[in-house]
Protein backbone atom coordinates (compact mmCIF):
# COMPACT_ATOMS: atom_id res chain seq x y z
CA UNK A 1 0.00 0.00 0.00
CA UNK A 2 1.42 3.38 -0.99
CA UNK A 3 2.20 5.88 1.77
CA UNK A 4 0.01 9.00 1.67
CA UNK A 5 2.05 12.24 1.86
CA UNK A 6 1.78 13.96 5.25
CA UNK A 7 2.02 17.38 3.58
CA UNK A 8 1.89 17.31 -0.23
CA UNK A 9 4.01 20.26 -1.34
CA UNK A 10 4.30 18.79 -4.84
CA UNK A 11 0.57 19.23 -5.50
CA UNK A 12 0.80 22.98 -4.89
CA UNK A 13 3.99 23.24 -6.93
CA UNK A 14 2.40 21.47 -9.89
CA UNK A 15 -0.44 24.01 -9.78
CA UNK A 16 1.75 27.15 -9.96
CA UNK A 17 5.00 25.78 -11.37
CA UNK A 18 5.02 27.98 -14.49
CA UNK A 19 4.57 31.14 -12.45
CA UNK A 20 7.23 30.15 -9.93
CA UNK A 21 9.71 29.24 -12.68
CA UNK A 22 9.12 32.61 -14.34
CA UNK A 23 9.48 34.46 -11.03
CA UNK A 24 12.81 32.75 -10.30
CA UNK A 25 14.08 33.43 -13.83
CA UNK A 26 13.21 37.10 -13.41
CA UNK A 27 15.41 37.34 -10.32
CA UNK A 28 18.24 35.51 -12.09
CA UNK A 29 17.95 38.02 -14.92
CA UNK A 30 17.98 41.19 -12.81
CA UNK A 31 20.58 39.85 -10.36
CA UNK A 32 19.35 41.62 -7.23
CA UNK A 33 19.72 38.46 -5.15
CA UNK A 34 19.78 40.22 -1.80
CA UNK A 35 17.13 42.81 -0.87
CA UNK A 36 15.92 42.97 -4.47
CA UNK A 37 12.66 44.54 -5.58
CA UNK A 38 10.68 41.35 -4.91
CA UNK A 39 11.57 41.60 -1.21
CA UNK A 40 10.01 45.07 -1.01
CA UNK A 41 7.01 43.97 -3.06
CA UNK A 42 6.47 40.90 -0.92
CA UNK A 43 6.70 42.88 2.33
CA UNK A 44 3.99 45.22 1.03
CA UNK A 45 1.72 42.36 -0.02
CA UNK A 46 2.25 40.43 3.19
CA UNK A 47 1.33 43.46 5.32
CA UNK A 48 -1.79 43.93 3.23
CA UNK A 49 -2.77 40.28 3.70
CA UNK A 50 -2.07 40.27 7.43
CA UNK A 51 -3.82 43.65 7.99
CA UNK A 52 -0.71 45.37 9.37
CA UNK A 53 0.75 48.72 8.38
CA UNK A 54 4.17 47.22 7.68
CA UNK A 55 6.02 43.94 7.41
CA UNK A 56 9.70 43.16 7.66
CA UNK A 57 11.02 39.99 6.08
CA UNK A 58 13.91 38.07 7.61
CA UNK A 59 15.85 34.82 7.35
CA UNK A 60 13.50 32.53 9.30
CA UNK A 61 10.60 32.43 11.74
CA UNK A 62 12.92 32.19 14.73
CA UNK A 63 14.72 35.45 13.95
CA UNK A 64 11.28 36.98 13.39
CA UNK A 65 10.53 36.44 17.10
CA UNK A 66 13.87 37.74 18.36
CA UNK A 67 13.81 40.90 16.22
CA UNK A 68 11.00 42.63 18.14
CA UNK A 69 12.55 41.51 21.45
CA UNK A 70 15.82 43.13 20.37
CA UNK A 71 14.07 46.25 19.08
CA UNK A 72 12.32 46.69 22.43
CA UNK A 73 15.56 46.28 24.37
CA UNK A 74 14.45 43.14 26.21
CA UNK A 75 17.38 41.73 28.17
CA UNK A 76 18.91 40.71 31.46
CA UNK A 77 16.47 40.70 34.37
CA UNK A 78 13.39 40.62 32.13
CA UNK A 79 10.71 37.91 32.12
CA UNK A 80 9.09 36.82 28.86
CA UNK A 81 5.98 34.64 29.21
CA UNK A 82 5.35 31.92 26.64
CA UNK A 83 3.81 28.45 26.31
CA UNK A 84 5.86 25.33 26.88
CA UNK A 85 3.69 23.28 24.53
CA UNK A 86 5.09 24.78 21.31
CA UNK A 87 7.97 24.46 18.88
CA UNK A 88 11.31 25.23 20.57
CA UNK A 89 11.86 28.44 18.64
CA UNK A 90 9.19 30.30 20.63
CA UNK A 91 11.23 30.03 23.84
CA UNK A 92 14.73 29.64 22.39
CA UNK A 93 15.06 33.28 21.41
CA UNK A 94 14.38 34.55 24.94
CA UNK A 95 17.72 33.46 26.50
CA UNK A 96 19.49 34.83 23.38
CA UNK A 97 18.57 38.27 24.73
CA UNK A 98 19.60 37.24 28.30
CA UNK A 99 15.97 37.56 29.40
CA UNK A 100 14.30 34.48 30.94
CA UNK A 101 11.28 32.55 29.71
CA UNK A 102 8.46 31.85 32.17
CA UNK A 103 6.35 28.95 30.93
CA UNK A 104 2.55 29.18 30.84
CA UNK A 105 0.11 26.30 30.56
CA UNK A 106 -2.37 25.80 27.72
CA UNK A 107 -6.13 25.47 27.54
CA UNK A 108 -7.24 21.83 27.16
CA UNK A 109 -9.55 22.46 24.19
CA UNK A 110 -7.50 24.78 21.92
CA UNK A 111 -3.90 23.95 23.02
CA UNK A 112 -3.27 27.71 23.21
CA UNK A 113 -2.07 29.89 26.10
CA UNK A 114 -4.29 29.86 29.19
CA UNK A 115 -4.96 33.55 29.99
CA UNK A 116 -5.79 32.84 33.66
CA UNK A 117 -2.50 31.02 34.14
CA UNK A 118 -0.67 33.87 32.40
CA UNK A 119 -2.18 36.39 34.79
CA UNK A 120 -1.26 34.27 37.82
CA UNK A 121 2.31 33.86 36.53
CA UNK A 122 2.78 37.60 36.04
CA UNK A 123 1.62 38.21 39.62
CA UNK A 124 3.93 35.51 40.95
CA UNK A 125 6.94 36.95 39.09
CA UNK A 126 6.19 40.42 40.44
CA UNK A 127 5.80 39.04 43.96
CA UNK A 128 9.13 37.24 43.74
CA UNK A 129 10.77 40.44 42.51
CA UNK A 130 13.78 38.87 40.77
CA UNK A 131 12.60 39.48 37.19
CA UNK A 132 10.63 42.29 35.57
CA UNK A 133 7.66 41.14 33.45
CA UNK A 134 8.15 42.62 29.95
CA UNK A 135 6.67 40.60 27.09
CA UNK A 136 4.14 37.86 26.38
CA UNK A 137 4.63 35.56 23.38
CA UNK A 138 1.36 33.87 22.47
CA UNK A 139 1.45 31.08 19.90
CA UNK A 140 -1.20 30.28 17.28
CA UNK A 141 -0.60 26.58 17.75
CA UNK A 142 -1.57 24.19 14.95
CA UNK A 143 -2.97 27.18 13.05
CA UNK A 144 -5.65 28.69 15.27
CA UNK A 145 -5.54 32.08 16.97
CA UNK A 146 -4.75 32.34 20.67
CA UNK A 147 -7.34 34.05 22.90
CA UNK A 148 -6.03 37.51 21.96
CA UNK A 149 -8.80 39.62 23.51
CA UNK A 150 -8.13 38.04 26.93
CA UNK A 151 -4.33 38.02 26.60
CA UNK A 152 -4.22 41.60 25.30
CA UNK A 153 -6.38 42.81 28.20
CA UNK A 154 -3.87 41.28 30.64
CA UNK A 155 -0.92 42.82 28.76
CA UNK A 156 -2.59 46.24 28.88
CA UNK A 157 -3.33 45.96 32.59
CA UNK A 158 0.20 44.81 33.38
CA UNK A 159 2.04 47.07 30.93
CA UNK A 160 3.50 44.21 28.86
CA UNK A 161 4.07 43.98 25.12
CA UNK A 162 2.57 41.14 23.11
CA UNK A 163 4.10 39.07 20.31
CA UNK A 164 1.92 36.72 18.28
CA UNK A 165 4.09 33.77 17.18
CA UNK A 166 1.99 32.94 14.15
CA UNK A 167 4.52 30.66 12.45
CA UNK A 168 1.83 27.98 12.26
CA UNK A 169 -1.12 30.34 12.21
CA UNK A 170 -0.30 33.03 9.66
CA UNK A 171 -3.59 33.83 7.95
CA UNK A 172 -5.73 32.82 10.94
CA UNK A 173 -8.34 35.26 12.18
CA UNK A 174 -10.42 35.90 15.27
CA UNK A 175 -13.71 37.73 14.75
CA UNK A 176 -12.41 38.58 11.27
CA UNK A 177 -9.20 40.18 12.53
CA UNK A 178 -5.62 39.01 12.19
CA UNK A 179 -3.47 38.67 15.37
CA UNK A 180 -1.79 42.06 14.77
CA UNK A 181 -5.09 43.68 15.77
CA UNK A 182 -4.06 42.80 19.34
CA UNK A 183 -0.31 42.11 19.18
CA UNK A 184 2.52 44.66 19.07
CA UNK A 185 4.26 42.35 16.61
CA UNK A 186 3.06 39.25 14.77
CA UNK A 187 5.68 36.87 13.44
CA UNK A 188 5.66 34.05 10.93
CA UNK A 189 7.87 31.44 9.31
CA UNK A 190 8.12 30.47 5.66
CA UNK A 191 9.65 27.06 6.39
CA UNK A 192 8.36 24.92 3.51
CA UNK A 193 5.85 22.90 5.58
CA UNK A 194 4.17 25.93 7.18
CA UNK A 195 0.83 27.01 5.68
CA UNK A 196 2.61 29.82 3.78
CA UNK A 197 6.02 28.34 3.02
CA UNK A 198 8.84 29.09 0.58
CA UNK A 199 11.49 26.76 -0.87
CA UNK A 200 14.00 27.21 1.91
CA UNK A 201 14.07 29.27 5.09
CA UNK A 202 12.33 32.59 5.56
CA UNK A 203 10.33 34.61 8.05
CA UNK A 204 8.65 37.93 8.67
CA UNK A 205 7.47 40.32 11.37
CA UNK A 206 4.26 42.31 11.00
CA UNK A 207 4.03 45.61 12.83
CA UNK A 208 1.97 48.79 12.89
CA UNK A 209 4.92 50.79 14.25
CA UNK A 210 7.15 52.64 11.78
CA UNK A 211 9.74 53.11 14.57
CA UNK A 212 9.84 49.39 15.45
CA UNK A 213 10.15 48.59 11.75
CA UNK A 214 13.16 50.88 11.42
CA UNK A 215 14.94 49.45 14.46
CA UNK A 216 14.22 45.85 13.37
CA UNK A 217 15.53 46.75 9.89
CA UNK A 218 18.74 47.88 11.58
CA UNK A 219 19.05 44.66 13.61
CA UNK A 220 18.42 42.43 10.58
CA UNK A 221 21.28 44.12 8.68
CA UNK A 222 24.16 44.12 11.17
CA UNK A 223 22.90 47.06 13.22
CA UNK A 224 23.22 49.53 10.35
CA UNK A 225 22.20 53.11 11.09
CA UNK A 226 18.58 53.74 10.13
CA UNK A 227 16.57 56.95 9.86
CA UNK A 228 15.96 57.41 13.62
CA UNK A 229 19.71 57.01 14.23
CA UNK A 230 20.67 59.64 11.66
CA UNK A 231 18.33 62.38 12.83
CA UNK A 232 20.31 65.61 12.87
CA UNK A 233 23.54 63.78 12.05
CA UNK A 234 25.67 64.11 8.98
CA UNK A 235 27.45 60.96 7.83
CA UNK A 236 29.29 61.44 4.58
CA UNK A 237 29.49 57.74 3.70
CA UNK A 238 27.03 54.88 3.08
CA UNK A 239 25.01 54.69 6.34
CA UNK A 240 25.15 50.89 6.23
CA UNK A 241 28.74 51.30 7.43
CA UNK A 242 27.66 53.40 10.38
CA UNK A 243 26.67 50.91 13.08
CA UNK A 244 24.14 52.03 15.61
CA UNK A 245 23.76 48.71 17.45
CA UNK A 246 25.09 45.14 17.37
CA UNK A 247 22.88 43.35 14.89
CA UNK A 248 22.78 40.20 12.82
CA UNK A 249 22.37 39.10 9.22
CA UNK A 250 18.78 38.00 8.77
CA UNK A 251 17.55 38.81 5.29
CA UNK A 252 15.01 36.98 3.14
CA UNK A 253 16.55 35.97 -0.20
CA UNK A 254 15.05 37.73 -3.21
CA UNK A 255 14.39 34.37 -4.89
CA UNK A 256 12.36 33.26 -1.87
CA UNK A 257 10.42 36.53 -1.91
CA UNK A 258 9.67 36.00 -5.61
CA UNK A 259 8.39 32.48 -4.84
CA UNK A 260 6.36 33.76 -1.89
CA UNK A 261 4.68 36.43 -4.04
CA UNK A 262 3.25 33.61 -6.20
CA UNK A 263 2.29 31.50 -3.19
CA UNK A 264 0.65 34.42 -1.39
CA UNK A 265 -1.50 35.02 -4.47
CA UNK A 266 -3.28 31.67 -3.90
CA UNK A 267 -3.03 31.60 -0.09
CA UNK A 268 -6.54 32.90 0.66
CA UNK A 269 -7.99 30.20 -1.57
CA UNK A 270 -5.80 27.57 0.07
CA UNK A 271 -7.05 28.62 3.50
CA UNK A 272 -10.59 27.95 2.21
CA UNK A 273 -9.51 24.53 0.92
CA UNK A 274 -8.02 23.77 4.34
CA UNK A 275 -11.43 24.45 5.93
CA UNK A 276 -13.01 21.88 3.62
CA UNK A 277 -10.41 19.26 4.54
CA UNK A 278 -10.75 19.99 8.26
CA UNK A 279 -14.54 19.75 8.05
CA UNK A 280 -14.29 16.36 6.30
CA UNK A 281 -12.10 15.13 9.17
CA UNK A 282 -14.52 16.50 11.76
CA UNK A 283 -17.45 14.76 10.04
CA UNK A 284 -15.62 11.50 9.36
CA UNK A 285 -14.16 11.12 12.83
CA UNK A 286 -17.19 12.36 14.74
CA UNK A 287 -18.02 10.40 17.85
CA UNK A 288 -15.04 8.10 17.35
CA UNK A 289 -12.28 10.35 18.49
CA UNK A 290 -11.64 13.80 20.02
CA UNK A 291 -11.34 16.19 17.07
CA UNK A 292 -9.96 19.74 17.40
CA UNK A 293 -11.97 22.62 18.81
CA UNK A 294 -11.42 26.11 17.41
CA UNK A 295 -11.92 29.18 19.62
CA UNK A 296 -15.33 30.89 19.13
CA UNK A 297 -15.06 33.36 16.26
CA UNK A 298 -11.75 31.88 15.15
CA UNK A 299 -10.64 30.61 11.75
CA UNK A 300 -7.72 28.18 11.82
CA UNK A 301 -5.35 27.76 8.89
CA UNK A 302 -4.91 24.14 10.03
CA UNK A 303 -1.13 23.92 9.93
CA UNK A 304 -1.77 20.61 11.68
CA UNK A 305 -4.89 18.54 12.21
CA UNK A 306 -4.32 17.16 15.70
CA UNK A 307 -6.52 14.57 17.35
CA UNK A 308 -6.16 13.00 20.78
CA UNK A 309 -6.00 9.34 21.69
CA UNK A 310 -5.01 7.60 24.91
CA UNK A 311 -3.26 4.86 22.91
CA UNK A 312 -1.52 7.38 20.67
CA UNK A 313 1.61 5.34 19.86
CA UNK A 314 -0.42 2.23 19.04
CA UNK A 315 -2.68 4.34 16.81
CA UNK A 316 0.38 5.72 14.99
CA UNK A 317 1.71 2.20 14.44
CA UNK A 318 -1.69 1.04 13.16
CA UNK A 319 -1.95 4.01 10.78
CA UNK A 320 1.51 3.25 9.42
CA UNK A 321 0.42 -0.28 8.46
CA UNK A 322 -2.42 1.36 6.50
CA UNK A 323 -0.04 3.68 4.62
CA UNK A 324 -1.08 6.69 6.68
CA UNK A 325 1.73 8.84 8.13
CA UNK A 326 1.24 10.75 11.37
CA UNK A 327 3.36 12.96 13.60
CA UNK A 328 3.55 13.92 17.27
CA UNK A 329 3.67 17.65 18.03
CA UNK A 330 5.06 17.84 20.68
CA UNK A 331 6.19 14.76 22.60
CA UNK A 332 7.99 16.65 25.41
CA UNK A 333 6.97 20.17 26.51
CA UNK A 334 9.87 22.58 26.71
CA UNK A 335 9.84 23.00 30.50
CA UNK A 336 10.67 19.28 30.79
CA UNK A 337 13.62 19.49 28.40
CA UNK A 338 17.13 19.82 29.83
CA UNK A 339 18.13 23.26 28.46
CA UNK A 340 14.84 24.82 29.63
CA UNK A 341 14.30 23.05 32.93
CA UNK A 342 16.00 25.81 34.91
CA UNK A 343 13.51 28.49 33.86
CA UNK A 344 10.36 29.50 35.69
CA UNK A 345 6.78 28.30 35.31
CA UNK A 346 3.43 29.73 36.25
CA UNK A 347 2.00 28.71 39.66
CA UNK A 348 0.97 25.07 39.92
CA UNK A 349 3.14 23.97 37.01
CA UNK A 350 1.88 22.93 33.58
CA UNK A 351 -0.38 19.88 34.03
CA UNK A 352 -2.35 20.40 30.80
CA UNK A 353 0.80 20.68 28.66
CA UNK A 354 2.17 17.51 30.26
CA UNK A 355 -1.06 15.56 29.74
CA UNK A 356 -1.51 16.65 26.11
CA UNK A 357 2.04 15.68 25.17
CA UNK A 358 1.09 12.07 25.78
CA UNK A 359 -2.06 11.92 23.63
CA UNK A 360 -1.71 14.26 20.62
CA UNK A 361 -1.28 12.91 17.11
CA UNK A 362 -1.36 14.87 13.84
CA UNK A 363 -2.94 13.48 10.65
CA UNK A 364 -2.05 14.31 7.03
CA UNK A 365 -3.20 17.88 6.32
CA UNK A 366 -2.78 20.17 3.33
CA UNK A 367 -5.09 22.09 0.97
CA UNK A 368 -4.85 19.48 -1.80
CA UNK A 369 -5.83 16.41 0.24
CA UNK A 370 -8.46 14.90 -2.03
CA UNK A 371 -11.62 13.21 -0.79
CA UNK A 372 -10.62 9.64 -1.68
CA UNK A 373 -7.21 9.90 -0.03
CA UNK A 374 -8.68 11.54 3.03
CA UNK A 375 -11.29 8.76 3.24
CA UNK A 376 -8.38 6.31 3.52
CA UNK A 377 -7.04 8.27 6.47
CA UNK A 378 -10.45 8.48 8.15
CA UNK A 379 -11.13 4.76 7.63
CA UNK A 380 -7.70 3.91 9.03
CA UNK A 381 -8.32 5.98 12.18
CA UNK A 382 -11.84 4.62 12.65
CA UNK A 383 -10.56 1.09 12.09
CA UNK A 384 -8.22 1.26 15.06
CA UNK A 385 -9.39 -0.66 18.10
CA UNK A 386 -6.85 0.45 20.63
C1 LIG B 1 8.25 26.80 12.83
C2 LIG B 1 8.04 27.60 14.03
C3 LIG B 1 8.91 28.64 14.41
C4 LIG B 1 10.24 28.90 13.76
O1 LIG B 1 10.29 29.02 12.42
P1 LIG B 1 11.64 28.73 11.59
O2 LIG B 1 11.36 29.41 10.31
O3 LIG B 1 11.79 27.25 11.46
O4 LIG B 1 12.77 29.36 12.30
C5 LIG B 1 8.58 29.42 15.51
N1 LIG B 1 7.49 29.16 16.23
C6 LIG B 1 6.63 28.16 15.93
C7 LIG B 1 5.42 27.96 16.77
C8 LIG B 1 6.89 27.34 14.82
O5 LIG B 1 6.05 26.34 14.54
Amino acid sequence: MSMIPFIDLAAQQARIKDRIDAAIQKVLAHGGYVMGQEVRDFEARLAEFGQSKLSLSCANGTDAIVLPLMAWGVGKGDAVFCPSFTFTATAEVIPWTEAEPVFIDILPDTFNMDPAHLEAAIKAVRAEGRLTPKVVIAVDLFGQPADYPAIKAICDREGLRLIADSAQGFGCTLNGKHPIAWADAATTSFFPAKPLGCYGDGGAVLTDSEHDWQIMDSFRVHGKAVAPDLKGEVFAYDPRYLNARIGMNSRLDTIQAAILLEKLAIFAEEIELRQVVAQRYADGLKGVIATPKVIDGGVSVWAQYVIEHEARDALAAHLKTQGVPSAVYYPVPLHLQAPYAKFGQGPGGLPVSEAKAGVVIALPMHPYLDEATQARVIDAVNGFNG
Side-chain angles (χ1 to χ4, degrees):
M1 197 180 301
S2 68
M3 201 73 170
I4 293 169
F6 187 67
I7 296 180
D8 189 354
L9 295 172
Q12 184 203 51
Q13 190 184 99
R15 183 181 162 189
I16 54 172
K17 189 167 190 317
D18 291 351
R19 274 175 279 163
I20 285 183
D21 284 348
I24 293 171
Q25 289 306 320
K26 205 173 143 209
V27 177
L28 295 183
H30 71 55
Y33 305 127
V34 174
M35 288 300 190
Q37 186 57 43
E38 285 83 356
V39 174
R40 304 297 174 196
D41 293 347
F42 175 64
E43 287 178 338
R45 297 298 317 280
L46 190 75
E48 202 180 305
F49 189 97
Q51 292 175 348
S52 62
K53 284 208 184 85
L54 298 162
S55 98
L56 179 111
S57 59
C58 60
N60 54 67
T62 308
D63 288 355
I65 311 171
V66 86
L67 281 165
L69 294 177
M70 291 169 88
W72 300 336
V74 172
K76 206 170 179 57
D78 292 337
V80 177
F81 301 83
C82 70
S84 170
F85 194 70
T86 178
F87 182 62
T88 327
T90 309
E92 171 184 37
V93 298
I94 300 164
W96 290 2
T97 69
E98 293 185 54
E100 290 186 28
V102 176
F103 291 112
I104 306 301
D105 212 0
I106 51 168
L107 296 165
D109 51 354
T110 63
F111 302 106
N112 276 333
M113 180 179 270
D114 177 347
H117 197 232
L118 169 66
E119 185 147 45
I122 295 168
K123 286 197 164 51
V125 167
R126 286 207 200 284
E128 191 197 25
R130 190 176 61 85
L131 299 172
T132 309
K134 278 284 168 69
V135 176
V136 174
I137 306 177
V139 176
D140 300 325
L141 201 72
F142 304 148
Q144 72 157 305
D147 187 351
Y148 287 110
I151 294 168
K152 171 67 170 161
I154 295 165
C155 289
D156 284 349
R157 261 200 310 279
E158 299 284 346
L160 306 191
R161 297 209 209 222
L162 176 59
I163 295 176
D165 174 358
S166 213
Q168 298 179 19
F170 184 73
C172 75
T173 55
L174 183 56
N175 303 324
K177 294 185 212 162
H178 290 256
I180 195 67
W182 297 274
D184 298 287
T187 69
T188 192
S189 161
F190 305 124
F191 183 80
K194 309 280 176 172
L196 179 62
C198 61
Y199 291 147
D201 278 306
V205 189
L206 278 68
T207 175
D208 288 337
S209 162
E210 171 74 29
H211 183 262
D212 284 359
W213 192 95
Q214 294 275 356
I215 304 301
M216 291 191 289
D217 183 35
S218 170
F219 275 115
R220 91 172 146 175
V221 188
H222 306 290
K224 67 174 179 180
V226 289
D229 302 315
L230 291 168
K231 257 192 201 121
E233 279 200 42
V234 182
F235 187 65
Y237 307 94
D238 186 336
R240 97 178 71 167
Y241 301 113
L242 182 65
N243 302 292
R245 50 192 64 78
I246 295 176
M248 60 212 268
N249 176 1
S250 186
R251 296 176 292 228
L252 179 71
D253 292 342
T254 308
I255 285 181
Q256 299 299 347
I259 291 163
L260 281 162
L261 277 165
E262 298 305 327
K263 290 194 174 208
L264 186 57
I266 58 166
F267 189 46
E269 187 196 330
E270 288 185 336
I271 292 173
E272 294 296 324
L273 293 171
R274 286 172 180 275
Q275 308 310 315
V276 174
V277 174
Q279 190 56 51
R280 283 203 298 253
Y281 269 138
D283 295 342
L285 299 171
K286 192 160 41 196
V288 181
I289 206 146
T291 53
K293 169 146 181 352
V294 175
I295 188 172
D296 283 346
V299 175
S300 176
V301 296
W302 301 106
Q304 306 296 343
Y305 194 88
V306 173
I307 60 173
E308 297 174 47
H309 202 291
E310 290 302 327
R312 186 258 318 279
D313 293 344
L315 172 59
H318 164 79
L319 292 178
K320 202 169 165 197
T321 67
Q322 305 298 301
V324 175
S326 62
V328 174
Y329 306 115
Y330 294 92
V332 186
L334 297 179
H335 69 285
L336 299 179
Q337 304 222 23
Y340 295 97
K342 62 175 182 263
F343 296 118
Q345 312 171 5
L350 293 92
V352 182
S353 301
E354 290 172 18
K356 292 297 179 185
V359 296
V360 287
I361 177 168
L363 302 178
M365 179 77 215
H366 60 88
Y368 305 100
L369 184 56
D370 65 83
E371 219 167 328
T373 308
Q374 194 176 0
R376 264 182 68 193
V377 179
I378 291 169
D379 289 348
V381 175
N382 288 337
F384 174 65
N385 332 289

